[in-house]
Amino acid sequence: MAVQVSVIATSSLGDRSYLATDGQVAVVVDPQRDVDRVLALAGELGVRVTHVVETHIHNDYVSGGLQLARLTGAEYLVSADDEVGFDRMPVADVDAVVVSEELRIRVVATPGHTFHHLSYVLDEASDGGWSEVGVFTGGSLLFGTTGRTDLLGQQHAHELAHHQHASARRLADLLPDGAQVWPTHGFGSFCSASQADAPESTIGREKQANQVLRLAADDFVTETLAGLDAHPAYYAHMGVANAAGPAPVDLSPVARADAGQLRDRIAAGEWVVDLRHRKAYAASHLAGTVSLGLDGPMSTWLGWLIDWGVPITLLAETPQQVADAQRELVRIGIDRPAARATGTPDQWATDHADLRELTVADFPALAAAQAGNAPAGLPAPQVILDVRMTNEWRAGHIDGAVHIPLPDLPQRLADVPPGTVWVHCGSGYRAAAAASLLANAGREVVAIDDMFGQAEQSGVTMAPTV
């Protein structure tokens, strides 16, 4: 059979892992920490994993590569230049590894996202030789963009951006236009300099669509560095864990917490996270909890907002939802929640006084309230708080709004001016999280659950664009 490449997507983190096989053996690229997904796919395909490869020491998730290699007996390929605390097969530029008679991978040094970043060209046997099928590019050449170059510190960002430009050009020169491009990042990951512009791509398409292959080096560096926004604070812990060698995951259920224990955890300043949809949270929730629904990038925002190491308790409607959240969290190194509770807010409260509602509105309601015609039951807005990221704010915002990006809010609650706060984001997810934090601080708050694109057409006054 021809070489087959399967995608293992982790949409919550904006990443993809890959399994490439000739029908007998398989190579796995950049696996996430919950490797049971990879093993299940290999089982479905009836193939044996013989090689696991890392394109780089990841900054946005804890890798499952080491554990997968140990479980399968596979060779574990990691850059020879990376200092790691475990045994691996060190590889470097121009190395070639014959996986089987039908499949080969070739190592290409592509520094930029990190100093020792590697890409892997996938070759299949053809007419007594080898032909390129595609290239696993990790955080190098992405769909319509590249991996960001500031994750190792701003002091390296300029140099790495120059490397990134040269690496992308090298791949474009090395491979035919029809070769597939298989990046790890770029599907919502903060490791990406900007968002992917397509669900799949080839070298030829990237030559047409990707600025890194269209701009001169200095122009690319200037444009790339100017467009970078903040990245999650928990990234600081990921590279350290991956270089040391991550421990196996434990996804077994954690201890249940009763209503009294939940009250005590909240009183102690621990994080009790409500995983239900924000509409359910608004209708009724346990006072002192934070809304981070499983329908959005819960682990990214939770990992970014918390003080690292603080105990976390998970609330959900079903045990499966808690299990799903645990899986999300181990990917960023939050290995064991402190406790869990399932059911309804009535079951989580010691008495009815522990329950709260969250007032919700939309942008037409905000426009009406600004005009002095606040809909019945809604307090007039004295503060409009925008919790989107800086790049979103610069692209357009409401006139007179206060801007505090959601990741900064826990430390900047005192910077929110006094009065009733109407808080918004781009869609409603971050606004619900922010509203819960504000309410927990004793503020009167209204969460705007609406798409920001609806604001201006709803009659909300926008700030003049610069």
Side-chain angles (χ1 to χ4, degrees):
M1 65 171 285
V3 170
Q4 174 185 344
V5 177
S6 299
V7 175
I8 305 167
T10 305
S11 58
S12 58
L13 294 178
D15 291 322
R16 289 180 177 178
S17 307
Y18 299 90
L19 183 149
T21 180
D22 63 358
Q24 301 294 322
V25 298
V27 178
V28 175
V29 182
D30 288 343
Q32 290 276 339
R33 198 175 181 200
D34 49 328
V35 297
D36 56 335
R37 292 189 296 161
V38 180
L39 295 171
L41 176 60
E44 290 172 14
L45 297 174
V47 300
R48 181 168 57 92
V49 176
T50 58
H51 295 76
V52 178
V53 306
E54 299 282 9
T55 57
H56 59 293
I57 301 296
H58 300 284
N59 288 291
D60 68 328
Y61 66 87
V62 179
S63 172
L66 179 62
Q67 178 66 3
L68 182 60
R70 286 173 172 168
L71 290 171
T72 60
E75 293 279 8
Y76 188 29
L77 281 61
V78 177
S79 172
D81 291 327
D82 280 321
E83 295 183 9
V84 296
F86 50 84
D87 292 334
R88 42 80 192 266
M89 179 179 177
V91 290
D93 191 40
V94 308
D95 283 349
V97 177
V98 177
V99 177
S100 70
E101 292 181 355
E102 301 294 327
L103 194 156
R104 180 181 74 170
I105 50 177
R106 285 183 287 130
V107 183
V108 183
T110 48
H113 189 49
T114 65
F115 280 104
H116 306 138
H117 189 285
L118 303 175
S119 295
Y120 296 87
V121 176
L122 179 67
D123 294 332
E124 67 178 353
S126 64
D127 300 326
W130 297 97
S131 61
E132 301 99 336
V133 180
V135 57
F136 299 104
T137 57
S140 181
L141 183 67
L142 312 184
F143 295 165
T145 184
T146 58
R148 62 193 297 162
T149 64
D150 62 332
L151 298 183
L152 302 183
Q154 288 292 339
Q155 70 272 27
H156 301 301
H158 189 273
E159 178 185 0
L160 284 171
H162 273 282
H163 285 316
Q164 191 75 295
H165 184 268
S167 292
R169 294 295 181 96
R170 184 182 182 197
L171 289 174
D173 291 342
L174 181 68
L175 293 161
D177 284 357
Q180 294 289 315
V181 176
W182 296 301
T184 300
H185 304 310
F187 313 96
S189 169
F190 281 92
C191 274
S192 174
S194 60
Q195 292 312 301
D197 68 345
E200 59 184 32
S201 193
T202 61
I203 290 292
R205 182 187 175 280
E206 291 308 309
K207 287 179 179 178
Q208 299 298 317
N210 200 316
Q211 292 285 63
V212 73
L213 300 176
R214 296 171 62 84
L215 295 176
D218 288 345
D219 293 336
F220 167 77
V221 170
T222 299
E223 182 173 298
T224 296
L225 296 183
L228 294 176
D229 210 332
H231 58 79
Y234 67 81
Y235 278 21
H237 306 281
M238 302 297 95
V240 175
N242 286 325
V249 299
D250 178 3
L251 292 174
S252 63
V254 295
R256 290 187 180 90
D258 62 24
Q261 291 167 327
L262 292 175
R263 181 192 57 207
D264 293 344
R265 289 186 178 279
I266 291 170
E270 298 182 10
W271 276 63
V272 179
V273 179
D274 193 323
L275 299 168
R276 298 174 302 146
H277 191 277
R278 59 187 179 273
K279 293 187 186 302
Y281 183 88
S284 178
H285 61 268
L286 186 60
T289 59
V290 179
S291 172
L292 285 169
L294 267 179
D295 57 297
M298 177 274 299
S299 59
T300 294
W301 293 114
L302 179 57
W304 202 339
L305 288 166
I306 63 169
D307 292 327
W308 200 251
V310 68
I312 295 168
T313 297
L314 302 175
L315 306 181
E317 293 164 341
T318 68
Q320 184 59 52
Q321 290 166 340
V322 175
D324 291 344
Q326 283 185 243
R327 182 177 291 270
E328 296 280 0
L329 292 173
V330 297
R331 294 172 181 156
I332 65 164
I334 299 176
D335 283 11
R336 297 292 287 170
R340 64 185 167 108
T342 55
T344 65
D346 287 338
Q347 295 170 289
W348 305 332
T350 53
D351 60 55
H352 192 72
D354 291 339
L355 298 178
R356 298 282 187 276
E357 296 177 6
L358 175 62
T359 304
V360 177
D362 56 15
F363 283 115
L366 175 60
Q370 285 182 311
N373 302 312
L378 291 178
Q382 295 167 292
V383 181
I384 300 172
L385 177 64
D386 185 338
V387 296
R388 297 174 303 151
M389 301 302 288
T390 300
N391 281 351
E392 295 173 281
W393 166 267
R394 288 174 179 162
H397 58 268
I398 296 171
D399 193 33
V402 175
H403 180 230
I404 301 178
L406 177 61
D408 299 343
L409 187 59
Q411 285 73 44
R412 294 185 58 191
L413 287 166
D415 294 342
V416 181
T420 300
V421 182
W422 285 47
V423 59
H424 80 86
C425 61
S427 65
Y429 186 89
R430 288 171 289 175
S436 61
L437 292 170
L438 288 161
N440 293 344
R443 300 299 298 269
E444 183 177 21
V445 60
V446 175
I448 298 177
D449 190 4
D450 202 353
M451 299 300 295
F452 182 69
Q454 302 294 321
E456 186 169 13
Q457 66 191 60
S458 297
V460 176
T461 304
M462 306 301 289
T465 55
V466 178

